[in-house]
PDB file of all heavy atoms in Angstrom:
ATOM      1  N   PRO R 336       8.770  -6.020 -35.495  1.00 93.00           N
ATOM      2  CA  PRO R 336       9.571  -5.784 -34.281  1.00 93.00           C
ATOM      3  C   PRO R 336       9.001  -4.694 -33.376  1.00 93.00           C
ATOM      4  O   PRO R 336       8.585  -3.634 -33.862  1.00 93.00           O
ATOM      5  CB  PRO R 336      10.941  -5.386 -34.827  1.00 93.00           C
ATOM      6  CG  PRO R 336      10.695  -4.956 -36.227  1.00 93.00           C
ATOM      7  CD  PRO R 336       9.541  -5.742 -36.727  1.00 93.00           C
ATOM      8  N   GLY R 337       8.963  -4.988 -32.080  1.00 89.00           N
ATOM      9  CA  GLY R 337       8.519  -4.007 -31.088  1.00 89.00           C
ATOM     10  C   GLY R 337       7.018  -3.821 -30.984  1.00 89.00           C
ATOM     11  O   GLY R 337       6.548  -2.982 -30.193  1.00 89.00           O
ATOM     12  N   PHE R 338       6.222  -4.619 -31.706  1.00 90.00           N
ATOM     13  CA  PHE R 338       4.774  -4.394 -31.738  1.00 90.00           C
ATOM     14  C   PHE R 338       4.115  -4.601 -30.368  1.00 90.00           C
ATOM     15  O   PHE R 338       3.269  -3.806 -29.961  1.00 90.00           O
ATOM     16  CB  PHE R 338       4.133  -5.321 -32.774  1.00 90.00           C
ATOM     17  CG  PHE R 338       2.648  -5.130 -32.927  1.00 90.00           C
ATOM     18  CD1 PHE R 338       2.160  -4.009 -33.600  1.00 90.00           C
ATOM     19  CD2 PHE R 338       1.739  -6.013 -32.380  1.00 90.00           C
ATOM     20  CE1 PHE R 338       0.801  -3.805 -33.745  1.00 90.00           C
ATOM     21  CE2 PHE R 338       0.373  -5.818 -32.514  1.00 90.00           C
ATOM     22  CZ  PHE R 338      -0.096  -4.710 -33.201  1.00 90.00           C
ATOM     23  N   LEU R 339       4.498  -5.652 -29.648  1.00 86.00           N
ATOM     24  CA  LEU R 339       3.866  -5.940 -28.362  1.00 86.00           C
ATOM     25  C   LEU R 339       4.128  -4.854 -27.330  1.00 86.00           C
ATOM     26  O   LEU R 339       3.390  -4.730 -26.347  1.00 86.00           O
ATOM     27  CB  LEU R 339       4.324  -7.292 -27.826  1.00 86.00           C
ATOM     28  CG  LEU R 339       3.797  -8.545 -28.548  1.00 86.00           C
ATOM     29  CD1 LEU R 339       4.295  -9.797 -27.863  1.00 86.00           C
ATOM     30  CD2 LEU R 339       2.272  -8.536 -28.605  1.00 86.00           C
ATOM     31  N   ASP R 340       5.204  -4.085 -27.527  1.00 85.00           N
ATOM     32  CA  ASP R 340       5.517  -3.000 -26.576  1.00 85.00           C
ATOM     33  C   ASP R 340       4.486  -1.889 -26.603  1.00 85.00           C
ATOM     34  O   ASP R 340       4.437  -1.055 -25.670  1.00 85.00           O
ATOM     35  CB  ASP R 340       6.906  -2.404 -26.888  1.00 85.00           C
ATOM     36  CG  ASP R 340       8.019  -3.437 -26.713  1.00 85.00           C
ATOM     37  OD1 ASP R 340       7.797  -4.390 -25.950  1.00 85.00           O
ATOM     38  OD2 ASP R 340       9.095  -3.268 -27.322  1.00 85.00           O
ATOM     39  N   LEU R 341       3.642  -1.845 -27.630  1.00 84.00           N
ATOM     40  CA  LEU R 341       2.612  -0.815 -27.721  1.00 84.00           C
ATOM     41  C   LEU R 341       1.456  -1.070 -26.756  1.00 84.00           C
ATOM     42  O   LEU R 341       0.694  -0.173 -26.432  1.00 84.00           O
ATOM     43  CB  LEU R 341       2.045  -0.753 -29.144  1.00 84.00           C
ATOM     44  CG  LEU R 341       2.913  -0.158 -30.242  1.00 84.00           C
ATOM     45  CD1 LEU R 341       2.219  -0.306 -31.570  1.00 84.00           C
ATOM     46  CD2 LEU R 341       3.202   1.295 -29.952  1.00 84.00           C
ATOM     47  N   PHE R 342       1.343  -2.316 -26.270  1.00 81.00           N
ATOM     48  CA  PHE R 342       0.160  -2.712 -25.493  1.00 81.00           C
ATOM     49  C   PHE R 342       0.571  -3.299 -24.149  1.00 81.00           C
ATOM     50  O   PHE R 342       1.686  -3.761 -23.962  1.00 81.00           O
ATOM     51  CB  PHE R 342      -0.669  -3.726 -26.276  1.00 81.00           C
ATOM     52  CG  PHE R 342      -0.956  -3.305 -27.688  1.00 81.00           C
ATOM     53  CD1 PHE R 342      -0.118  -3.701 -28.727  1.00 81.00           C
ATOM     54  CD2 PHE R 342      -2.056  -2.512 -27.990  1.00 81.00           C
ATOM     55  CE1 PHE R 342      -0.357  -3.310 -30.030  1.00 81.00           C
ATOM     56  CE2 PHE R 342      -2.314  -2.129 -29.298  1.00 81.00           C
ATOM     57  CZ  PHE R 342      -1.468  -2.515 -30.321  1.00 81.00           C
ATOM     58  N   ASN R 343      -0.399  -3.290 -23.244  1.00 75.00           N
ATOM     59  CA  ASN R 343      -0.175  -3.856 -21.916  1.00 75.00           C
ATOM     60  C   ASN R 343      -0.987  -5.128 -21.685  1.00 75.00           C
ATOM     61  O   ASN R 343      -1.023  -5.664 -20.579  1.00 75.00           O
ATOM     62  CB  ASN R 343      -0.561  -2.854 -20.823  1.00 75.00           C
ATOM     63  CG  ASN R 343       0.281  -1.595 -20.861  1.00 75.00           C
ATOM     64  OD1 ASN R 343       1.485  -1.670 -21.084  1.00 75.00           O
ATOM     65  ND2 ASN R 343      -0.346  -0.444 -20.652  1.00 75.00           N
ATOM     66  N   ASP R 344      -1.637  -5.632 -22.746  1.00 65.00           N
ATOM     67  CA  ASP R 344      -2.527  -6.787 -22.565  1.00 65.00           C
ATOM     68  C   ASP R 344      -1.901  -8.090 -23.010  1.00 65.00           C
ATOM     69  O   ASP R 344      -2.573  -9.127 -23.058  1.00 65.00           O
ATOM     70  CB  ASP R 344      -3.855  -6.553 -23.311  1.00 65.00           C
ATOM     71  CG  ASP R 344      -3.646  -6.138 -24.772  1.00 65.00           C
ATOM     72  OD1 ASP R 344      -2.497  -6.300 -25.254  1.00 65.00           O
ATOM     73  OD2 ASP R 344      -4.591  -5.685 -25.402  1.00 65.00           O
ATOM     74  N   GLY R 345      -0.617  -8.073 -23.398  1.00 67.00           N
ATOM     75  CA  GLY R 345       0.089  -9.306 -23.703  1.00 67.00           C
ATOM     76  C   GLY R 345      -0.528 -10.117 -24.832  1.00 67.00           C
ATOM     77  O   GLY R 345      -0.748  -9.586 -25.924  1.00 67.00           O
ATOM     78  N   TYR R 346      -0.850 -11.353 -24.534  1.00 69.00           N
ATOM     79  CA  TYR R 346      -1.274 -12.293 -25.585  1.00 69.00           C
ATOM     80  C   TYR R 346      -2.781 -12.517 -25.620  1.00 69.00           C
ATOM     81  O   TYR R 346      -3.253 -13.444 -26.264  1.00 69.00           O
ATOM     82  CB  TYR R 346      -0.596 -13.655 -25.355  1.00 69.00           C
ATOM     83  CG  TYR R 346       0.900 -13.632 -25.542  1.00 69.00           C
ATOM     84  CD1 TYR R 346       1.746 -13.254 -24.512  1.00 69.00           C
ATOM     85  CD2 TYR R 346       1.452 -13.965 -26.757  1.00 69.00           C
ATOM     86  CE1 TYR R 346       3.115 -13.233 -24.678  1.00 69.00           C
ATOM     87  CE2 TYR R 346       2.836 -13.927 -26.950  1.00 69.00           C
ATOM     88  CZ  TYR R 346       3.656 -13.565 -25.907  1.00 69.00           C
ATOM     89  OH  TYR R 346       5.014 -13.530 -26.068  1.00 69.00           O
ATOM     90  N   SER R 347      -3.539 -11.686 -24.959  1.00 65.00           N
ATOM     91  CA  SER R 347      -4.978 -11.964 -24.889  1.00 65.00           C
ATOM     92  C   SER R 347      -5.868 -10.796 -25.304  1.00 65.00           C
ATOM     93  O   SER R 347      -7.077 -10.882 -25.180  1.00 65.00           O
ATOM     94  CB  SER R 347      -5.340 -12.374 -23.456  1.00 65.00           C
ATOM     95  OG  SER R 347      -5.019 -11.340 -22.539  1.00 65.00           O
ATOM     96  N   GLY R 348      -5.274  -9.716 -25.788  1.00 81.00           N
ATOM     97  CA  GLY R 348      -6.096  -8.545 -26.063  1.00 81.00           C
ATOM     98  C   GLY R 348      -5.959  -7.988 -27.456  1.00 81.00           C
ATOM     99  O   GLY R 348      -5.865  -8.721 -28.468  1.00 81.00           O
ATOM    100  N   LEU R 349      -5.855  -6.670 -27.534  1.00 87.00           N
ATOM    101  CA  LEU R 349      -5.875  -5.944 -28.796  1.00 87.00           C
ATOM    102  C   LEU R 349      -4.702  -6.310 -29.695  1.00 87.00           C
ATOM    103  O   LEU R 349      -4.847  -6.383 -30.916  1.00 87.00           O
ATOM    104  CB  LEU R 349      -5.881  -4.438 -28.507  1.00 87.00           C
ATOM    105  CG  LEU R 349      -5.865  -3.501 -29.702  1.00 87.00           C
ATOM    106  CD1 LEU R 349      -7.076  -3.751 -30.599  1.00 87.00           C
ATOM    107  CD2 LEU R 349      -5.842  -2.052 -29.237  1.00 87.00           C
ATOM    108  N   ALA R 350      -3.534  -6.558 -29.094  1.00 89.00           N
ATOM    109  CA  ALA R 350      -2.340  -6.875 -29.886  1.00 89.00           C
ATOM    110  C   ALA R 350      -2.569  -8.080 -30.773  1.00 89.00           C
ATOM    111  O   ALA R 350      -2.251  -8.083 -31.968  1.00 89.00           O
ATOM    112  CB  ALA R 350      -1.145  -7.105 -28.973  1.00 89.00           C
ATOM    113  N   MET R 351      -3.160  -9.140 -30.214  1.00 90.00           N
ATOM    114  CA  MET R 351      -3.415 -10.353 -30.997  1.00 90.00           C
ATOM    115  C   MET R 351      -4.486 -10.128 -32.054  1.00 90.00           C
ATOM    116  O   MET R 351      -4.399 -10.692 -33.163  1.00 90.00           O
ATOM    117  CB  MET R 351      -3.839 -11.494 -30.051  1.00 90.00           C
ATOM    118  CG  MET R 351      -2.806 -11.901 -29.033  1.00 90.00           C
ATOM    119  SD  MET R 351      -1.297 -12.578 -29.796  1.00 90.00           S
ATOM    120  CE  MET R 351      -0.165 -11.200 -29.601  1.00 90.00           C
ATOM    121  N   VAL R 352      -5.467  -9.295 -31.737  1.00 91.00           N
ATOM    122  CA  VAL R 352      -6.527  -8.988 -32.700  1.00 91.00           C
ATOM    123  C   VAL R 352      -5.935  -8.299 -33.938  1.00 91.00           C
ATOM    124  O   VAL R 352      -6.278  -8.646 -35.074  1.00 91.00           O
ATOM    125  CB  VAL R 352      -7.608  -8.101 -32.049  1.00 91.00           C
ATOM    126  CG1 VAL R 352      -8.578  -7.586 -33.093  1.00 91.00           C
ATOM    127  CG2 VAL R 352      -8.358  -8.888 -30.982  1.00 91.00           C
ATOM    128  N   ILE R 353      -5.056  -7.346 -33.720  1.00 93.00           N
ATOM    129  CA  ILE R 353      -4.418  -6.623 -34.823  1.00 93.00           C
ATOM    130  C   ILE R 353      -3.516  -7.541 -35.655  1.00 93.00           C
ATOM    131  O   ILE R 353      -3.550  -7.532 -36.884  1.00 93.00           O
ATOM    132  CB  ILE R 353      -3.628  -5.424 -34.292  1.00 93.00           C
ATOM    133  CG1 ILE R 353      -4.553  -4.402 -33.654  1.00 93.00           C
ATOM    134  CG2 ILE R 353      -2.823  -4.760 -35.417  1.00 93.00           C
ATOM    135  CD1 ILE R 353      -5.558  -3.770 -34.592  1.00 93.00           C
ATOM    136  N   LEU R 354      -2.731  -8.364 -34.968  1.00 93.00           N
ATOM    137  CA  LEU R 354      -1.781  -9.236 -35.660  1.00 93.00           C
ATOM    138  C   LEU R 354      -2.470 -10.293 -36.533  1.00 93.00           C
ATOM    139  O   LEU R 354      -1.897 -10.765 -37.515  1.00 93.00           O
ATOM    140  CB  LEU R 354      -0.845  -9.922 -34.649  1.00 93.00           C
ATOM    141  CG  LEU R 354       0.237  -9.034 -34.052  1.00 93.00           C
ATOM    142  CD1 LEU R 354       1.016  -9.784 -32.997  1.00 93.00           C
ATOM    143  CD2 LEU R 354       1.195  -8.533 -35.132  1.00 93.00           C
ATOM    144  N   LYS R 355      -3.672 -10.681 -36.156  1.00 91.00           N
ATOM    145  CA  LYS R 355      -4.411 -11.656 -36.969  1.00 91.00           C
ATOM    146  C   LYS R 355      -4.639 -11.141 -38.393  1.00 91.00           C
ATOM    147  O   LYS R 355      -4.526 -11.885 -39.366  1.00 91.00           O
ATOM    148  CB  LYS R 355      -5.760 -11.984 -36.326  1.00 91.00           C
ATOM    149  CG  LYS R 355      -5.651 -12.941 -35.142  1.00 91.00           C
ATOM    150  CD  LYS R 355      -7.055 -13.215 -34.590  1.00 91.00           C
ATOM    151  CE  LYS R 355      -6.986 -14.127 -33.381  1.00 91.00           C
ATOM    152  NZ  LYS R 355      -8.324 -14.387 -32.809  1.00 91.00           N
ATOM    153  N   LYS R 356      -4.964  -9.872 -38.502  1.00 93.00           N
ATOM    154  CA  LYS R 356      -5.269  -9.279 -39.813  1.00 93.00           C
ATOM    155  C   LYS R 356      -4.069  -8.543 -40.405  1.00 93.00           C
ATOM    156  O   LYS R 356      -3.902  -8.527 -41.639  1.00 93.00           O
ATOM    157  CB  LYS R 356      -6.461  -8.322 -39.687  1.00 93.00           C
ATOM    158  CG  LYS R 356      -6.982  -7.802 -41.018  1.00 93.00           C
ATOM    159  CD  LYS R 356      -8.268  -7.039 -40.850  1.00 93.00           C
ATOM    160  CE  LYS R 356      -8.819  -6.532 -42.173  1.00 93.00           C
ATOM    161  NZ  LYS R 356      -9.201  -7.634 -43.082  1.00 93.00           N
ATOM    162  N   TYR R 357      -3.243  -7.955 -39.557  1.00 94.00           N
ATOM    163  CA  TYR R 357      -2.104  -7.173 -40.029  1.00 94.00           C
ATOM    164  C   TYR R 357      -0.809  -7.645 -39.382  1.00 94.00           C
ATOM    165  O   TYR R 357      -0.273  -7.007 -38.461  1.00 94.00           O
ATOM    166  CB  TYR R 357      -2.327  -5.691 -39.704  1.00 94.00           C
ATOM    167  CG  TYR R 357      -3.636  -5.140 -40.202  1.00 94.00           C
ATOM    168  CD1 TYR R 357      -4.675  -4.848 -39.312  1.00 94.00           C
ATOM    169  CD2 TYR R 357      -3.836  -4.875 -41.565  1.00 94.00           C
ATOM    170  CE1 TYR R 357      -5.887  -4.320 -39.774  1.00 94.00           C
ATOM    171  CE2 TYR R 357      -5.053  -4.357 -42.024  1.00 94.00           C
ATOM    172  CZ  TYR R 357      -6.058  -4.081 -41.129  1.00 94.00           C
ATOM    173  OH  TYR R 357      -7.258  -3.576 -41.566  1.00 94.00           O
ATOM    174  N   PRO R 358      -0.255  -8.791 -39.828  1.00 95.00           N
ATOM    175  CA  PRO R 358       0.955  -9.342 -39.205  1.00 95.00           C
ATOM    176  C   PRO R 358       2.256  -8.683 -39.674  1.00 95.00           C
ATOM    177  O   PRO R 358       3.337  -9.104 -39.256  1.00 95.00           O
ATOM    178  CB  PRO R 358       0.922 -10.816 -39.644  1.00 95.00           C
ATOM    179  CG  PRO R 358       0.227 -10.780 -40.975  1.00 95.00           C
ATOM    180  CD  PRO R 358      -0.797  -9.671 -40.873  1.00 95.00           C
ATOM    181  N   HIS R 359       2.148  -7.668 -40.524  1.00 95.00           N
ATOM    182  CA  HIS R 359       3.324  -6.978 -41.055  1.00 95.00           C
ATOM    183  C   HIS R 359       3.036  -5.492 -41.167  1.00 95.00           C
ATOM    184  O   HIS R 359       1.919  -5.108 -41.575  1.00 95.00           O
ATOM    185  CB  HIS R 359       3.679  -7.556 -42.439  1.00 95.00           C
ATOM    186  CG  HIS R 359       5.033  -7.173 -42.928  1.00 95.00           C
ATOM    187  ND1 HIS R 359       5.291  -5.961 -43.539  1.00 95.00           N
ATOM    188  CD2 HIS R 359       6.203  -7.846 -42.902  1.00 95.00           C
ATOM    189  CE1 HIS R 359       6.553  -5.895 -43.856  1.00 95.00           C
ATOM    190  NE2 HIS R 359       7.155  -7.029 -43.494  1.00 95.00           N
TER     191      HIS R 359
END
Side-chain angles (χ1 to χ4, degrees):
F338 183 74
L339 288 182
D340 297 337
L341 287 175
F342 310 93
N343 297 321
D344 51 15
Y346 293 86
S347 59
L349 179 59
M351 297 296 104
V352 171
I353 295 297
L354 285 175
K355 282 181 182 179
K356 188 171 180 64
Y357 306 107
H359 193 278

